Amino acid sequence: MTRRLVLGAPLALAACQAMPGAGGGHDVARIAHYLNTTRGLTAHMVQTWPDGGVGEGRLSYDPGHLRLDYDTPHPMKLVAAGGHLVFRDSLRQSVTRMTLSRQPLGLLLATPVQLGGAITVTSVQHGSNVVQVSLARTSNPSQGLLTLGFSDFAGQLTLVAIEILDERRNRTRLHLTDVRTGSAFPDGYFSLSAGE
């Protein structure tokens, strides 16, 4: 089952790439609205790292905030907010901190998300009930590419895939299922404090 879920995101993205469509401006506006107004998003995630390793867990998103709680390959937590990211690996007892200003993931967590100006929309692609948008930093597109995949049924968008291509051309994919919105996150849920 894990293997099937992992393969789902690349297939969805490939389907989009195979069927480019028009009307990108309208879709860009819809996607920006979705990212800026969707509150309390949670999903089951399967992540594939550049080396082919796979992890599973839960993704949580509020505009400007992202948290990934990994169950496999072992407990880990990533929290991104306020232009910074903290990654805690309980097995290695390590904490990694970095700024998002030069990372593709930072494009998702600007507040508000504005898909234009500082962010260049490099492509908008369509497939059967799916749409994807690829984003780069206008001032330095070589820093990487962020691709977001959405299901699109009856005009209703749902985030189902995130793909990050970093400046070294390493590709990380997240495939999302059981996506829900409206969760109430407790105070401090997106805290960057290493002591959590």
Side-chain angles (χ1 to χ4, degrees):
M1 178 162 174
T2 299
R3 187 171 178 78
R4 182 173 49 113
L5 290 174
V6 171
L7 295 175
L11 289 176
L13 294 175
C16 284
Q17 293 164 353
M19 302 176 63
H26 173 67
D27 287 317
V28 168
R30 292 172 62 216
I31 289 168
H33 178 76
Y34 177 91
L35 296 174
N36 286 316
T37 61
T38 298
R39 304 274 176 187
L41 185 150
T42 61
H44 176 262
M45 68 162 185
V46 175
Q47 178 169 329
T48 305
W49 280 280
D51 65 0
V54 175
E56 291 191 55
R58 297 293 299 172
L59 175 146
S60 305
Y61 172 83
D62 245 2
H65 303 81
L66 181 72
R67 175 169 160 166
L68 307 178
D69 290 284
Y70 298 86
D71 298 319
T72 62
H74 55 269
M76 299 178 287
K77 179 167 65 174
L78 179 152
V79 179
H84 298 276
L85 177 151
V86 174
F87 180 73
R88 299 176 186 85
D89 186 325
S90 61
L91 182 66
R92 296 178 175 85
Q93 297 185 341
S94 65
V95 178
T96 303
R97 297 176 181 86
M98 65 179 65
T99 179
L100 290 173
S101 63
R102 302 182 67 155
Q103 306 293 329
L105 186 60
L107 301 171
L108 174 63
L109 300 176
T111 50
V113 174
Q114 295 180 337
L115 303 184
I119 297 176
T120 295
V121 177
T122 63
S123 72
V124 179
Q125 305 288 332
H126 297 266
S128 178
N129 298 313
V130 290
V131 60
Q132 79 174 38
V133 61
S134 295
L135 312 170
R137 205 172 301 280
T138 302
S139 61
N140 194 347
S142 65
Q143 287 179 347
L145 191 70
L146 176 72
T147 299
L148 304 174
F150 299 84
S151 66
D152 188 5
F153 291 98
Q156 180 71 39
L157 295 174
T158 302
L159 182 65
V160 295
I162 301 171
E163 183 174 281
I164 300 166
L165 184 68
D166 70 17
E167 61 185 349
R168 295 176 181 164
R169 313 308 288 171
N170 294 316
R171 194 179 306 270
T172 301
R173 295 184 178 98
L174 287 87
H175 176 53
L176 309 180
T177 55
D178 191 25
V179 180
R180 302 179 185 203
T181 58
S183 296
F185 299 124
D187 290 345
Y189 188 75
F190 295 102
S191 170
L192 298 174
S193 169
E196 273 191 359

